[in-house]
Amino acid sequence: MGLDDDWSYIKTAQVLSQTGHLVYNGWATAMLGWQLYFADLFIKLFGFSFTAARSTTWIIATVTAYLVQRCFVRCGLRQRNATMGTLAVVLSPLYLALTFSFMTDIAGFFSIVVCFYACLRAVQACTNRSALAWIACAAMSSTIFGSSRQIAWLGVLVMVPSAVWLLRHRPGMIRFGLVLYFSCIAVIFACMHWFGQQPYAVPEPILAGHINRWLLGRAAENILRAILDAALFLLPISVIFVPVFPYKNQRAIWFAAGGGILSTLLALTLMHNNTLLSWLPPYTETTVTRFGIVSTAGSIFHGDRLVVLPPTICLLLAAAIVITTLSLIALQITPVPRAMPTPVSFRQMSWQQLGVLVAPFFLAYMTLLLPRACFGEILDRYQLPLLFFAVLVLLRFYQEQVRPDVTYASLLLIALFAGWSIASLHDLFATRRASLMAIAEIQSAGVPRTAIDGGWEFNGWTQIDHTGFVTDPRIRNLGGSSPQPKPSHPAGCPPVMGFLYPAVSPRYALALDPTVCGGKAPFAPVTYKNWLRPRSSTIYVIWTETPR
């Protein structure tokens, strides 16, 4: 069964393996590119399965973890600090959740990290030939690997020109960089044109409509939620600033006291307005949610979902975000003794060089997220590249301004985050397995797939098997197919995102509560074990409408 969007991508990989043709199915806004051919290799070797396709992401994630550590070291972090920073990134709930799916986020992040690493090597190269070779590597790798997720092309479009600017005094660098840059742009435009012409592809415009005052307010809220989510994922690193808070500095004390009072007043106001729960972490609730990773049961079951992060834990996380943020800002506004300089085995990147290399990429990335903030939301998984650079900046600031080595308090929080992520992933896959068992029981009674609401991932796969594509209204090219009829779904128990699959007309659905919709159907329930709360859950087959 699919996880989040990867059911559509895995279906495209399956068709590629069977026919040799790259065929979209009405849901992918990402080009998918090289990621599909990597999955095609594993499907041919091991046969088709969701696991075969997702195993390619495990490999990409492992290589990316190594490159993240080397980038940190190349940017001047000590080996211990670089390793701690890498663990904070790759053991975060965000990274682990995406590693065990076939989503494009890990492949896109890999493209950005490879480009950044090659740019670092170019800037630190001792010879002109080495610098030119690494710039070429950065540009070509970003062009190829960015084909999985278009926003990753910001590596070649923004980061590579920044590196060329840093190397502008080297003979022939500007001329070589211009030729390389425009060649890569030509390839990117050709790929985008090809993608826009494909049947059932869903290329997204940068702006989905006219921006008005209401949309700007919505964008401000989404950006604030994204910033707070970033602070949540950075807790394993930002916690190191709490023990070094300048308690003897009166200015820092007054600042922290004022920030704490304002935060408390804000929380009380939200509580008075009954909106406090919506402003507790996780804030965007897409990949990492109060209900588990990938909203474990939200897209499958009707009725209430199981909360695995109770409000008390969320409130403690919010308090930790406030404390670590105030500690970090207090260190910024008060003079502290500088740490001893750290010797490195190669030319260290200065803050100015790092800023020239990273700041334009950051600004371009955020600019492309702004339209999403207006017309949709900034999903937490979009923050993965920004988390990487934020960890780098925080650790280098700590190493140079506070202490040479990161304390082990960071390792404790990394372990806690990783433990929760692993347990939540276990529960996610346990839920999917139990759901498939319940669906298999329904099908064993002769019920067709089209009469079962097994969650939007299951329903989307069913729709593609019947018609070849889901009916996303954003599709521009139907490839000669006739428009699909409007879906006919039970009014009192409609499937999630039912507009995508008119071929599905469910009589049965799944729920954790047998009293919802039309009540319990005559099928045995399926019980499975969780590692998080509750320790045991039961899936019931329900009628979508009360039987006559």
Side-chain angles (χ1 to χ4, degrees):
M1 183 181 288
L3 298 176
D4 206 348
D5 296 339
D6 78 349
W7 56 273
S8 170
Y9 309 157
I10 292 175
K11 188 64 176 179
T12 301
Q14 182 191 36
V15 174
L16 175 64
S17 178
Q18 292 171 344
T19 67
H21 297 290
L22 206 162
V23 180
Y24 297 100
N25 48 52
W27 184 247
T29 58
M31 191 176 297
L32 306 178
W34 72 277
Q35 186 177 351
L36 289 175
Y37 290 94
F38 194 19
D40 174 42
L41 172 64
F42 273 61
I43 291 172
K44 283 185 166 63
L45 288 174
F46 305 109
F48 172 75
S49 68
F50 282 81
T51 301
R54 289 173 184 151
S55 61
T56 60
T57 311
W58 308 341
I59 297 173
I60 298 169
T62 303
V63 176
T64 304
Y66 171 77
L67 288 174
V68 166
Q69 201 271 352
R70 298 320 301 164
C71 286
F72 285 164
V73 172
R74 285 272 164 187
C75 288
L77 296 184
R78 295 163 66 94
Q79 290 283 353
R80 170 175 159 176
N81 298 345
T83 302
M84 295 282 274
T86 303
L87 291 176
V89 173
V90 304
L91 295 182
S92 70
L94 202 56
Y95 194 91
L96 283 176
L98 296 169
T99 296
F100 288 89
S101 74
F102 194 65
M103 300 289 284
T104 60
D105 302 86
I106 293 295
F109 181 51
F110 168 74
S111 173
I112 293 169
V113 172
V114 169
C115 182
F116 182 61
Y117 177 77
C119 288
L120 290 174
R121 294 298 301 264
V123 173
Q124 295 171 342
C126 297
T127 65
N128 290 336
R129 179 175 295 181
S130 295
L132 292 171
W134 280 111
I135 284 292
C137 175
M140 290 188 290
S141 64
S142 181
T143 303
I144 295 171
F145 295 135
S147 63
S148 64
R149 187 174 180 82
Q150 292 92 308
I151 199 169
W153 275 328
L154 286 179
V156 64
L157 295 176
V158 178
M159 197 179 292
V160 170
S162 301
V164 171
W165 174 257
L166 290 173
L167 297 168
R168 63 190 182 278
H169 299 301
R170 288 185 179 268
M173 179 58 71
I174 295 293
R175 188 185 313 111
F176 179 78
L178 286 173
V179 172
L180 190 64
Y181 185 71
F182 287 109
S183 299
C184 291
I185 284 181
V187 173
I188 290 172
F189 271 101
C191 290
M192 291 296 291
H193 176 74
W194 173 86
F195 182 59
Q197 302 300 312
Q198 296 307 297
Y200 315 119
V202 191
E204 287 187 310
I206 295 179
L207 284 176
H210 177 70
I211 297 178
N212 54 36
R213 184 178 301 178
W214 183 84
L215 288 176
L216 288 176
R218 178 179 180 176
E221 178 182 342
N222 284 333
I223 290 171
L224 177 59
R225 288 185 177 276
I227 292 172
L228 292 173
D229 249 349
L232 170 66
F233 297 129
L234 285 170
L235 273 179
I237 295 300
S238 57
V239 71
I240 62 179
F241 294 97
V242 176
V244 295
F245 179 87
Y247 298 99
K248 297 181 179 180
N249 188 287
Q250 190 174 9
R251 183 182 179 187
I253 293 294
W254 279 108
F255 169 79
I261 292 172
L262 287 175
S263 300
T264 303
L265 291 175
L266 178 61
L268 291 174
T269 302
L270 293 172
M271 187 182 300
H272 177 74
N273 295 330
N274 294 321
T275 56
L276 178 62
L277 188 61
S278 65
W279 283 98
L280 291 179
Y283 294 97
T284 56
E285 294 215 296
T286 48
T287 302
V288 181
T289 76
R290 291 179 292 121
F291 309 100
I293 283 180
V294 197
S295 195
T296 306
S299 62
I300 299 179
F301 304 127
H302 290 270
D304 294 334
R305 290 181 283 177
L306 302 173
V307 176
V308 299
L309 276 180
T312 304
I313 300 297
C314 295
L315 189 60
L316 289 174
L317 289 172
I321 291 172
V322 172
I323 293 170
T324 55
T325 302
L326 292 176
S327 299
L328 176 59
I329 298 176
L331 285 171
Q332 292 276 6
I333 64 176
T334 56
V336 293
R338 298 189 64 176
M340 295 295 293
T342 303
V344 291
S345 58
F346 42 81
R347 190 171 50 149
Q348 181 174 326
M349 295 281 291
S350 67
W351 278 105
Q352 181 182 5
Q353 289 176 316
L354 201 56
V356 170
L357 204 55
V358 173
F361 173 87
F362 174 82
L363 292 174
Y365 195 91
M366 290 302 298
T367 300
L368 290 178
L369 290 184
L370 284 176
R372 276 198 168 271
C374 291
F375 298 101
E377 58 182 338
I378 301 177
L379 307 184
D380 52 9
R381 53 191 173 87
Y382 298 164
Q383 300 180 37
L384 193 55
L386 305 181
L387 176 65
F388 164 65
F389 290 115
V391 168
L392 168 60
V393 171
L394 288 177
L395 285 177
R396 180 154 170 180
F397 171 77
Y398 184 90
Q399 178 179 291
E400 294 184 357
Q401 301 294 331
V402 184
R403 293 175 181 170
D405 289 316
V406 174
T407 62
Y408 285 106
S410 178
L411 194 59
L412 176 61
L413 262 187
I414 291 172
L416 288 175
F417 274 46
W420 182 86
S421 305
I422 293 169
S424 188
L425 278 169
H426 167 273
D427 295 352
L428 171 67
F429 284 102
T431 304
R432 292 311 202 256
R433 285 193 298 269
S435 301
L436 289 175
M437 290 174 63
I439 291 170
E441 186 176 351
I442 302 172
Q443 289 181 297
S444 67
V447 178
R449 281 182 65 110
T450 53
I452 303 171
D453 176 10
W456 83 285
E457 297 100 334
F458 179 87
N459 298 342
W461 192 278
T462 301
Q463 172 73 22
I464 295 171
D465 276 344
H466 277 73
T467 65
F469 64 98
V470 294
T471 56
D472 192 320
R474 298 172 297 173
I475 298 175
R476 299 178 186 176
N477 183 359
L478 288 174
S481 300
S482 302
Q484 294 291 302
K486 290 185 178 181
S488 176
H489 297 143
C493 195
V496 175
M497 301 185 75
F499 65 90
L500 291 173
Y501 23 83
V504 177
S505 183
R507 300 197 308 270
Y508 302 97
L510 306 179
L512 299 174
D513 180 358
T515 64
V516 299
C517 296
K520 186 176 182 300
F523 294 96
V526 177
T527 300
Y528 64 97
K529 300 295 183 181
N530 295 308
W531 285 0
L532 299 175
R533 52 176 285 180
R535 298 303 302 273
S536 178
S537 299
T538 300
I539 298 174
Y540 299 92
V541 179
I542 58 171
W543 297 99
T544 56
E545 295 179 314
T546 303
R548 298 175 182 178

